[in-house]
Amino acid sequence: MPEGDTIWQAAHRLHTALAGRVLTRSDLRVPRFATADLTGRTLLDVTPRGKHLLARVEGGLTLHSHLRMDGAWRVYATGERPRGGPDHQIRAILGNDESTAYGYRLPVLELIRTADESDAVGHLGPDLLGPDWDAEEAARRLTTDLARPLGEALLDQRNLAGIGNVYKSELAFLAGVTPWLPVGDLDPGVPARLVATAHRLLDANKDRPDRRTTTTRRPGTPLHVYGRAGHPCLRCGAPIRKAELGDRITYWCPGCQRGPDDKTTPPPPDN
Protein backbone atom coordinates (compact mmCIF):
# COMPACT_ATOMS: atom_id res chain seq x y z
CA MET A 1 0.00 0.00 0.00
CA PRO A 2 1.80 3.18 -1.18
CA GLU A 3 2.35 5.70 1.62
CA GLY A 4 4.92 8.42 2.04
CA ASP A 5 7.81 6.06 2.74
CA THR A 6 7.08 3.77 -0.23
CA ILE A 7 6.66 6.78 -2.53
CA TRP A 8 10.05 8.04 -1.32
CA GLN A 9 11.56 4.66 -2.18
CA ALA A 10 9.95 4.68 -5.62
CA ALA A 11 11.27 8.18 -6.31
CA HIS A 12 14.75 7.12 -5.18
CA ARG A 13 14.74 4.12 -7.55
CA LEU A 14 13.52 6.21 -10.47
CA HIS A 15 15.99 9.00 -9.76
CA THR A 16 18.92 6.57 -9.52
CA ALA A 17 17.98 4.88 -12.79
CA LEU A 18 16.96 7.88 -14.89
CA ALA A 19 18.20 11.21 -13.56
CA GLY A 20 20.97 12.94 -15.45
CA ARG A 21 20.52 10.75 -18.54
CA VAL A 22 18.92 11.39 -21.91
CA LEU A 23 15.62 9.61 -22.47
CA THR A 24 15.78 7.21 -25.40
CA ARG A 25 12.26 5.91 -24.86
CA SER A 26 9.07 7.71 -23.92
CA ASP A 27 5.56 6.31 -24.07
CA LEU A 28 2.63 7.86 -22.19
CA ARG A 29 -0.38 5.60 -22.59
CA VAL A 30 -3.17 7.94 -21.60
CA PRO A 31 -5.29 9.58 -24.29
CA ARG A 32 -4.53 13.17 -23.37
CA PHE A 33 -0.75 12.74 -23.60
CA ALA A 34 -0.44 9.81 -26.01
CA THR A 35 1.30 11.96 -28.63
CA ALA A 36 3.75 13.58 -26.19
CA ASP A 37 7.36 12.58 -26.90
CA LEU A 38 10.08 13.16 -24.30
CA THR A 39 12.86 11.31 -26.11
CA GLY A 40 16.04 13.32 -26.53
CA ARG A 41 15.43 15.26 -23.33
CA THR A 42 17.42 14.77 -20.13
CA LEU A 43 15.45 13.64 -17.11
CA LEU A 44 16.66 16.03 -14.43
CA ASP A 45 15.33 14.55 -11.18
CA VAL A 46 12.51 12.58 -9.60
CA THR A 47 11.09 14.13 -6.44
CA PRO A 48 8.46 12.74 -4.06
CA ARG A 49 5.85 15.10 -2.62
CA GLY A 50 3.68 13.34 -0.09
CA LYS A 51 2.13 10.52 -2.13
CA HIS A 52 2.89 12.22 -5.46
CA LEU A 53 5.85 11.70 -7.81
CA LEU A 54 7.29 14.52 -9.87
CA ALA A 55 9.67 13.54 -12.68
CA ARG A 56 11.20 16.74 -14.03
CA VAL A 57 12.40 16.75 -17.62
CA GLU A 58 14.60 19.15 -19.55
CA GLY A 59 12.58 21.90 -21.20
CA GLY A 60 10.46 22.83 -18.20
CA LEU A 61 8.21 19.77 -18.15
CA THR A 62 7.16 17.53 -15.24
CA LEU A 63 5.55 14.11 -15.43
CA HIS A 64 3.23 13.99 -12.42
CA SER A 65 1.92 10.66 -11.18
CA HIS A 66 0.01 9.38 -8.17
CA LEU A 67 -0.14 5.68 -7.29
CA ARG A 68 -3.22 5.70 -5.01
CA MET A 69 -4.00 2.11 -3.98
CA ASP A 70 -2.72 -0.07 -6.82
CA GLY A 71 -0.24 1.92 -8.89
CA ALA A 72 3.48 1.09 -9.08
CA TRP A 73 6.66 2.11 -10.87
CA ARG A 74 9.06 -0.72 -11.75
CA VAL A 75 12.61 -0.33 -13.05
CA TYR A 76 14.35 -2.92 -15.22
CA ALA A 77 17.51 -3.09 -17.27
CA THR A 78 16.81 -1.84 -20.79
CA GLY A 79 15.90 -4.82 -22.91
CA GLU A 80 14.71 -6.88 -19.94
CA ARG A 81 11.09 -7.98 -20.04
CA PRO A 82 9.01 -6.08 -17.44
CA ARG A 83 7.17 -8.18 -14.87
CA GLY A 84 4.97 -5.68 -13.03
CA GLY A 85 1.73 -6.94 -14.54
CA PRO A 86 0.02 -7.43 -17.91
CA ASP A 87 1.17 -5.09 -20.67
CA HIS A 88 -2.28 -3.49 -20.88
CA GLN A 89 -1.77 -2.14 -17.33
CA ILE A 90 1.30 -0.12 -18.34
CA ARG A 91 0.47 3.60 -18.41
CA ALA A 92 3.95 5.07 -18.87
CA ILE A 93 7.41 4.05 -20.05
CA LEU A 94 10.55 6.13 -19.57
CA GLY A 95 13.92 4.72 -20.51
CA ASN A 96 17.55 5.35 -21.37
CA ASP A 97 20.35 3.12 -22.70
CA GLU A 98 20.75 1.36 -19.33
CA SER A 99 17.42 1.38 -17.48
CA THR A 100 13.72 1.53 -18.30
CA ALA A 101 10.92 2.45 -15.88
CA TYR A 102 7.35 1.19 -16.31
CA GLY A 103 4.38 2.81 -14.59
CA TYR A 104 1.63 0.28 -13.89
CA ARG A 105 -2.02 1.02 -13.10
CA LEU A 106 -1.36 4.73 -12.56
CA PRO A 107 -4.71 6.41 -11.82
CA VAL A 108 -3.13 9.86 -12.16
CA LEU A 109 -0.65 10.61 -14.95
CA GLU A 110 -0.22 14.04 -16.48
CA LEU A 111 2.46 16.05 -18.22
CA ILE A 112 2.54 19.59 -16.86
CA ARG A 113 4.84 22.58 -16.93
CA THR A 114 7.34 22.47 -14.10
CA ALA A 115 6.37 26.05 -13.28
CA ASP A 116 2.80 24.80 -12.68
CA GLU A 117 3.62 22.00 -10.23
CA SER A 118 1.82 23.89 -7.50
CA ASP A 119 -1.44 23.24 -9.36
CA ALA A 120 -0.90 19.52 -8.74
CA VAL A 121 0.65 19.49 -5.27
CA GLY A 122 0.26 22.98 -3.86
CA HIS A 123 -2.72 21.93 -1.74
CA LEU A 124 -0.62 19.50 0.29
CA GLY A 125 0.37 20.13 3.87
CA PRO A 126 3.93 19.79 5.19
CA ASP A 127 5.66 16.79 3.63
CA LEU A 128 6.74 14.30 6.29
CA LEU A 129 9.80 13.35 4.22
CA GLY A 130 10.36 16.66 2.48
CA PRO A 131 13.24 19.08 3.01
CA ASP A 132 10.73 21.72 4.11
CA TRP A 133 9.11 19.58 6.84
CA ASP A 134 7.44 21.85 9.40
CA ALA A 135 6.22 19.95 12.47
CA GLU A 136 4.60 22.99 14.09
CA GLU A 137 2.58 23.80 10.98
CA ALA A 138 1.54 20.15 10.60
CA ALA A 139 0.26 20.04 14.19
CA ARG A 140 -1.60 23.30 13.65
CA ARG A 141 -3.34 21.97 10.54
CA LEU A 142 -4.14 18.65 12.20
CA THR A 143 -6.12 20.46 14.92
CA THR A 144 -7.90 23.02 12.74
CA ASP A 145 -11.23 21.15 12.89
CA LEU A 146 -11.61 20.03 16.51
CA ALA A 147 -14.75 17.98 15.82
CA ARG A 148 -13.12 15.88 13.12
CA PRO A 149 -12.22 12.24 13.93
CA LEU A 150 -8.50 11.76 14.31
CA GLY A 151 -8.31 9.10 11.61
CA GLU A 152 -9.85 11.41 9.02
CA ALA A 153 -7.60 14.28 10.03
CA LEU A 154 -4.49 12.11 9.69
CA LEU A 155 -5.49 10.91 6.23
CA ASP A 156 -6.17 14.44 4.97
CA GLN A 157 -3.10 15.27 2.90
CA ARG A 158 -3.84 18.98 3.34
CA ASN A 159 -2.86 18.59 6.99
CA LEU A 160 0.36 16.65 6.54
CA ALA A 161 1.42 14.78 3.44
CA GLY A 162 2.45 11.14 3.43
CA ILE A 163 0.16 9.31 5.87
CA GLY A 164 -1.99 6.51 4.52
CA ASN A 165 -4.21 3.86 6.03
CA VAL A 166 -1.40 1.86 7.65
CA TYR A 167 0.14 4.80 9.48
CA LYS A 168 -3.29 6.16 10.41
CA SER A 169 -4.08 3.01 12.35
CA GLU A 170 -0.59 2.66 13.83
CA LEU A 171 -0.36 6.29 14.94
CA ALA A 172 -3.74 6.17 16.67
CA PHE A 173 -2.60 3.05 18.52
CA LEU A 174 0.67 4.65 19.58
CA ALA A 175 -1.27 7.69 20.83
CA GLY A 176 -3.57 5.41 22.86
CA VAL A 177 -6.78 6.67 21.25
CA THR A 178 -9.21 5.29 18.68
CA PRO A 179 -9.32 6.78 15.15
CA TRP A 180 -12.89 7.98 15.88
CA LEU A 181 -11.89 10.26 18.75
CA PRO A 182 -12.46 13.93 17.83
CA VAL A 183 -9.20 15.82 17.47
CA GLY A 184 -10.41 18.32 20.07
CA ASP A 185 -10.57 15.53 22.67
CA LEU A 186 -6.88 14.73 22.44
CA ASP A 187 -4.89 15.53 25.57
CA PRO A 188 -2.63 18.60 25.39
CA GLY A 189 0.63 17.81 23.67
CA VAL A 190 -0.68 14.72 21.88
CA PRO A 191 -1.03 16.34 18.42
CA ALA A 192 2.59 17.49 18.52
CA ARG A 193 3.73 14.03 19.64
CA LEU A 194 1.65 12.39 16.91
CA VAL A 195 3.25 14.56 14.27
CA ALA A 196 6.74 13.88 15.65
CA THR A 197 6.07 10.13 15.75
CA ALA A 198 4.78 10.14 12.18
CA HIS A 199 7.93 11.88 10.99
CA ARG A 200 10.18 9.50 12.93
CA LEU A 201 8.47 6.36 11.61
CA LEU A 202 8.32 7.39 7.97
CA ASP A 203 11.92 8.57 8.07
CA ALA A 204 13.06 5.24 9.56
CA ASN A 205 11.03 3.15 7.12
CA LYS A 206 12.02 4.98 3.95
CA ASP A 207 15.29 3.00 3.93
CA ARG A 208 13.78 -0.36 4.92
CA PRO A 209 12.48 -3.06 2.57
CA ASP A 210 9.64 -3.85 5.02
CA ARG A 211 7.69 -1.29 7.03
CA ARG A 212 7.97 -1.58 10.82
CA THR A 213 6.35 0.37 13.65
CA THR A 214 7.02 -2.05 16.51
CA THR A 215 10.24 -2.61 18.42
CA THR A 216 9.60 -6.32 19.02
CA ARG A 217 11.55 -8.76 16.89
CA ARG A 218 8.97 -11.50 17.25
CA PRO A 219 8.40 -13.01 13.77
CA GLY A 220 5.33 -11.70 11.97
CA THR A 221 4.80 -8.64 14.17
CA PRO A 222 6.17 -5.60 12.31
CA LEU A 223 2.96 -3.65 12.99
CA HIS A 224 0.89 -3.13 16.15
CA VAL A 225 -2.65 -3.33 14.76
CA TYR A 226 -2.83 -2.93 10.98
CA GLY A 227 -3.74 -6.20 9.29
CA ARG A 228 -3.94 -8.03 12.64
CA ALA A 229 -7.71 -8.26 13.13
CA GLY A 230 -8.61 -11.01 15.60
CA HIS A 231 -5.02 -11.49 16.72
CA PRO A 232 -4.00 -10.55 20.29
CA CYS A 233 -2.67 -7.08 20.94
CA LEU A 234 1.08 -7.15 21.45
CA ARG A 235 0.65 -5.03 24.59
CA CYS A 236 -2.54 -6.13 26.36
CA GLY A 237 -3.63 -9.29 24.59
CA ALA A 238 -7.10 -8.05 23.61
CA PRO A 239 -8.25 -9.13 20.10
CA ILE A 240 -7.50 -6.44 17.51
CA ARG A 241 -10.63 -5.15 15.79
CA LYS A 242 -11.25 -3.73 12.34
CA ALA A 243 -14.02 -1.64 10.83
CA GLU A 244 -14.63 0.91 8.11
CA LEU A 245 -13.71 4.53 8.67
CA GLY A 246 -15.15 6.32 5.67
CA ASP A 247 -14.07 4.21 2.68
CA ARG A 248 -11.01 2.78 4.47
CA ILE A 249 -10.51 -0.16 6.78
CA THR A 250 -9.17 0.81 10.17
CA TYR A 251 -7.69 -1.33 12.94
CA TRP A 252 -7.53 -0.68 16.66
CA CYS A 253 -7.12 -2.31 20.06
CA PRO A 254 -10.15 -1.94 22.38
CA GLY A 255 -7.92 -2.51 25.39
CA CYS A 256 -5.19 0.04 24.69
CA GLN A 257 -7.05 2.80 22.86
CA ARG A 258 -9.61 5.02 24.54
CA GLY A 259 -12.42 6.79 22.72
CA PRO A 260 -15.45 5.94 20.59
CA ASP A 261 -15.53 2.99 18.22
CA ASP A 262 -18.07 1.45 15.84
CA LYS A 263 -19.18 -1.18 18.42
CA THR A 264 -18.23 -4.11 16.21
CA THR A 265 -17.45 -7.54 17.60
CA PRO A 266 -13.95 -8.95 17.13
CA PRO A 267 -13.66 -10.39 13.60
CA PRO A 268 -11.76 -13.56 12.66
CA PRO A 269 -8.01 -13.15 12.12
CA ASP A 270 -6.87 -11.62 8.83
CA ASN A 271 -5.10 -14.06 6.53
Side-chain angles (χ1 to χ4, degrees):
M1 180 174 296
E3 305 203 18
D5 49 3
T6 50
I7 299 301
W8 191 95
Q9 292 173 7
H12 180 71
R13 288 193 298 270
L14 290 170
H15 184 89
T16 300
L18 303 177
R21 298 177 177 87
V22 174
L23 293 171
T24 57
R25 188 176 181 187
S26 164
D27 186 0
L28 305 183
R29 300 179 180 180
V30 293
R32 184 179 173 189
F33 303 105
T35 60
D37 185 6
L38 301 176
T39 57
R41 300 174 186 253
T42 299
L43 192 143
L44 304 175
D45 68 82
V46 182
T47 297
R49 183 76 175 88
K51 298 183 183 183
H52 300 251
L53 282 167
L54 302 170
R56 300 183 178 111
V57 182
E58 180 183 23
L61 295 175
T62 294
L63 186 64
H64 166 231
S65 60
H66 193 298
L67 308 186
R68 291 191 179 158
M69 296 294 288
D70 300 317
W73 279 98
R74 309 289 188 191
V75 178
Y76 301 94
T78 294
E80 182 182 1
R81 180 169 178 77
R83 302 177 299 279
D87 287 351
H88 72 266
Q89 293 182 349
I90 297 173
R91 297 291 179 266
I93 304 174
L94 297 174
N96 53 45
D97 292 337
E98 297 179 359
S99 303
T100 301
Y102 297 83
Y104 286 88
R105 303 172 297 278
L106 301 176
V108 176
L109 183 71
E110 58 178 350
L111 190 63
I112 60 177
R113 295 195 311 163
T114 301
D116 295 335
E117 284 181 1
S118 61
D119 293 343
V121 297
H123 65 287
L124 298 175
D127 186 346
L128 282 154
L129 294 178
D132 57 347
W133 166 243
D134 186 335
E136 185 176 345
E137 174 63 13
R140 185 194 68 79
R141 292 190 181 206
L142 188 66
T143 56
T144 297
D145 183 353
L146 297 180
R148 194 174 195 187
L150 174 63
E152 291 183 11
L154 286 171
L155 287 174
D156 191 335
Q157 302 300 293
R158 296 169 298 181
N159 292 333
L160 60 169
I163 291 178
N165 212 32
V166 177
Y167 281 113
K168 173 209 71 182
S169 295
E170 294 295 296
L171 288 167
F173 174 83
L174 291 169
V177 299
T178 70
W180 293 273
L181 186 76
V183 171
D185 290 347
L186 293 172
D187 292 337
V190 170
R193 289 198 298 273
L194 268 171
V195 164
T197 301
H199 179 254
R200 175 177 58 81
L201 290 175
L202 266 75
D203 187 61
N205 282 316
K206 76 180 193 300
D207 294 318
R208 292 173 176 164
D210 298 306
R211 182 181 293 133
R212 174 172 290 277
T213 63
T214 66
T215 56
T216 178
R217 292 301 171 183
R218 202 182 315 166
T221 58
L223 304 175
H224 291 282
V225 293
Y226 189 86
R228 300 192 65 245
H231 292 280
C233 173
L234 300 176
R235 287 184 178 173
C236 74
I240 300 300
R241 295 183 179 182
K242 73 173 181 179
E244 291 187 4
L245 177 64
D247 60 349
R248 308 287 186 95
I249 299 295
T250 193
Y251 297 81
W252 82 102
C253 171
C256 293
Q257 295 171 255
R258 71 172 181 88
D261 60 43
D262 74 336
K263 308 302 181 186
T264 59
T265 57
D270 283 350
N271 294 323

